[in-house]
């Protein structure tokens, strides 16, 4: 039986994203002199297509559809990501020093969004054959050593380094690398890796993350902007202790996070009302994409955003429920991976706009403006819905 609550919850999030793609894009419409419904219509078309794709995939036999769809997404999106830097400007326009979208007439697609779903399937498919059986074959008294575990996952780490190079260097998108790295790590744990391996992996990931920051001038500036905000907060909270912390002096305060916090504060508990936000009028850049949660907080308040967050958590819960009740290891690991892709993306965005961590430019699943992430996640959820028919619900 198809997991209808999961389908309805994702549909609700997509519809909410449609509404705010209209409400929050008013300044961008005026700035670029486009039609009033320019962003809404594109989000509406992508959202409706995503809902139809979800339902169509959900009705398919998972034994017949999952493997072909998963490998097709993986191979095609990987080839497109490799080809992106070499495509001419009419097919791949450079934005922010990197090419991330392929333009096909009026349609722009971000291959990395589809790659994430394909990569999760590949990990689930491979772990269920190479990693999970090995861990299950050994009892608790005869666990693998850390060296043995590293040798088991070494091929996956090599593949991930290649992926990291393509996304972080060619596309200048460290945020997506963090989402994929977190997903890979969690899937390894669910495949049977030890907590010792988990701790070692976290340490290596932090070192790699620090390396990416110090080797990129724009990431250094972004990190300095985040620390500038944090040091002022610490100075108010712990005046004596914070005085000993190294300080960063900037010519001007990072306006994005500052205005994001102002929008959240201005919205209060119940918000200013749908369409009545002020900070979206040129004070928050990309408010309908990266800062959609801040724009929503101003218009529907903490209570409204809490309801949306609850809906997002419910989607993750349903995916994990399908995973927990699936007898097929591939389905089990795949649903865990899709849940992590959604969860990490939402968490990184929410923490970034509130100043807890540096901004990463990650779209909020189903809510941010952008057809690629909606269509890709709709395919991912559709495959999970198909798998739910084989779960012991």
């Amino acid at each position: 039986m198809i997991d209808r609550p999961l389908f309805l919850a994702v549909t609700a999030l997509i519809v909410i994203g449609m509404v705010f793609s209209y409400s929050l894009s008013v300044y961008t419409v005026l700035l670029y002199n486009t039609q009033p419904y320019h962003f809404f219509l594109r989000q509406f078309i992508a959202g409706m297509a995503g809902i139809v794709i979800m339902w169509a995939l959900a009705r398919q036999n998972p034994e017949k559809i999952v493997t072909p769809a998963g490998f097709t997404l993986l191979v095609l999106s990987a080839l497109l990501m490799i080809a992106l830097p070499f495509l001419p400007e009419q097919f791949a326009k450079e934005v922010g020093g990197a090419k991330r979208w392929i333009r096909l007439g009026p349609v722009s697609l971000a291959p990395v969004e589809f790659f994430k779903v394909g990569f999760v399937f590949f990990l689930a498919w491979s772990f269920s054959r190479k990693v999970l059986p090995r861990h299950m074959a050994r009892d608790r008294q005869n666990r693998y050593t850390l060296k043995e575990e590293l040798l088991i996952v070494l091929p996956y780490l090599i593949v991930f380094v290649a992926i990291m190079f393509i996304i972080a260097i060619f596309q200048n998108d460290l945020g997506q690398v963090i989402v994929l790295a977190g997903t890979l790590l969690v899937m390894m744990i669910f495949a049977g890796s030890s907590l010792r391996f988990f701790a070692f992996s976290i340490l290596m990931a932090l070192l790699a993350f620090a390396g990416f920051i110090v080797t990129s001038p724009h990431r250094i500036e972004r990190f300095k902007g985040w620390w500038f905000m944090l040091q002022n907060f610490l100075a108010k909270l712990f005046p004596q202790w914070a005085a000993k912390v190294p300080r960063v002096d900037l010519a001007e305060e990072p306006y994005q996070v500052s205005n994001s916090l102002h929008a959240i504060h201005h919205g209060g508990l119940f918000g200013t009302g749908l369409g009545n936000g002020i900070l979206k009028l040129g004070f928050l850049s990309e408010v309908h994409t990266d800062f959609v949660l801040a724009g929503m907080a101003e218009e529907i308040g903490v209570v409204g955003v809490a309801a949306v967050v609850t809906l997002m958590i419910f989607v993750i819960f349903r995916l994990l429920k399908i995973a927990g009740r699936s007898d097929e290891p591939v389905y089990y690991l795949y649903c865990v991976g899709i849940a992590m892709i959604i969860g990490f993306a939402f968490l990184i965005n929410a923490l970034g706009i509130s100043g807890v961590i540096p901004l990463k430019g990650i779209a909020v699943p189903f809510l941010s403006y952008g057809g690629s992430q909606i269509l890709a996640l709709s395919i991912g959820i559709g495959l999970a819905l198909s798998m739910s028919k084989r779960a012991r619900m």
Side-chain angles (χ1 to χ4, degrees):
M1 182 178 179
I2 297 174
D3 190 337
R4 290 179 182 272
L6 173 60
F7 174 78
L8 293 175
V10 173
T11 300
L13 286 172
I14 291 175
V15 172
I16 292 171
M18 293 179 192
V19 172
F20 281 96
S21 70
Y22 176 70
S23 175
L24 299 179
S25 63
V26 56
Y27 176 77
T28 310
V29 166
L30 295 174
L31 181 66
Y32 293 104
N33 193 29
T34 61
Q35 296 296 321
Y37 297 99
H38 175 86
F39 295 99
F40 170 75
L41 285 176
R42 283 158 175 75
Q43 191 80 343
F44 178 81
I45 293 171
M48 294 304 297
I51 293 170
V52 171
I53 289 171
M54 266 197 304
W55 187 246
L57 289 174
R59 297 175 64 85
Q60 303 302 311
N61 184 343
E63 285 83 6
K64 295 181 179 180
I65 191 67
V66 170
T67 300
F71 278 118
T72 300
L73 280 176
L74 177 72
V75 175
L76 286 182
S77 57
L79 291 175
L80 289 175
M81 284 198 304
I82 294 171
L84 262 177
F86 309 103
L87 293 177
E89 280 289 311
Q90 62 263 34
F91 294 113
K93 187 176 180 180
E94 187 171 308
V95 179
K99 294 180 178 180
R100 299 177 185 174
W101 292 273
I102 291 179
R103 299 181 63 180
L104 302 172
V107 179
S108 295
L109 294 176
V112 68
E113 297 292 349
F114 298 90
F115 177 80
K116 290 188 294 186
V117 178
F119 186 61
V120 164
F121 168 77
F122 167 73
L123 292 179
W125 176 84
S126 188
F127 282 0
S128 66
R129 286 160 173 75
K130 304 292 185 181
V131 179
L132 192 59
R134 292 187 182 185
H135 286 290
M136 293 178 65
R138 290 203 173 192
D139 56 35
R140 293 183 179 180
Q141 285 75 32
N142 191 24
R143 301 292 293 175
Y144 284 110
T145 64
L146 180 59
K147 181 180 179 180
E148 289 173 326
E149 287 193 86
L150 287 173
L151 290 175
I152 292 173
V153 301
L154 183 61
Y156 302 101
L157 296 179
I158 294 173
V159 170
F160 183 75
V161 168
I163 294 168
M164 184 170 61
F165 181 80
I166 294 171
I167 299 176
I169 305 299
F170 284 176
Q171 298 191 9
N172 197 21
D173 196 350
L174 184 57
Q176 300 288 9
V177 172
I178 294 174
V179 171
L180 287 173
T183 301
L184 171 63
L185 184 56
V186 172
M187 290 182 70
M188 284 180 180
I189 299 302
F190 274 82
S193 297
S194 65
L195 292 178
R196 175 182 51 196
F197 176 81
F198 177 78
F200 177 80
S201 300
I202 289 291
L203 177 60
M204 292 297 101
L206 290 175
L207 291 175
F209 178 67
F212 272 111
I213 291 178
V214 299
T215 55
S216 174
H218 91 274
R219 291 190 185 117
I220 292 175
E221 290 303 313
R222 183 173 289 184
F223 183 83
K224 288 169 65 177
W226 167 73
W227 182 251
F228 180 86
M229 297 286 294
L230 188 62
Q231 72 186 9
N232 291 339
F233 173 76
L234 293 176
K236 297 175 183 177
L237 201 61
F238 308 105
Q240 294 182 349
W241 173 78
K244 301 178 182 179
V245 176
R247 295 185 61 82
V248 171
D249 293 320
L250 297 180
E252 57 180 292
E253 186 177 355
Y255 71 93
Q256 288 181 310
V257 176
S258 177
N259 286 334
S260 174
L261 294 174
H262 289 161
I264 296 170
H265 179 265
H266 185 230
L269 277 178
F270 301 105
T272 59
L274 190 62
N276 294 329
I278 296 175
L279 273 297
K280 66 184 181 184
L281 302 177
F283 299 99
L284 267 176
S285 61
E286 306 296 335
V287 65
H288 57 303
T289 56
D290 296 346
F291 287 89
V292 65
L293 288 177
M296 291 171 63
E298 184 180 21
E299 297 196 350
I300 61 176
V302 172
V303 173
V305 171
V308 174
V309 171
T310 302
L311 202 56
M312 192 75 69
I313 293 173
F314 180 75
V315 168
I316 296 171
F317 166 75
R318 297 302 300 188
L319 286 167
L320 294 178
K321 186 174 182 179
I322 295 172
R325 299 189 176 186
S326 294
D327 295 323
E328 177 61 46
V330 177
Y331 300 171
Y332 159 69
L333 291 171
Y334 174 84
C335 290
V336 169
I338 292 297
M340 293 304 104
I341 287 286
I342 294 172
F344 280 127
F346 180 81
L347 189 63
I348 290 172
N349 184 282
L351 294 178
I353 67 163
S354 56
V356 177
I357 64 173
L359 286 170
K360 285 289 166 284
I362 292 289
V364 182
F366 308 112
L367 299 177
S368 291
Y369 173 78
S372 294
Q373 57 96 7
I374 291 178
L375 292 175
L377 286 176
S378 295
I379 294 173
I381 295 293
L383 294 176
L385 289 169
S386 175
M387 296 172 187
S388 71
K389 294 188 294 187
R390 299 292 184 266
R392 294 173 280 104
M393 302 302 288

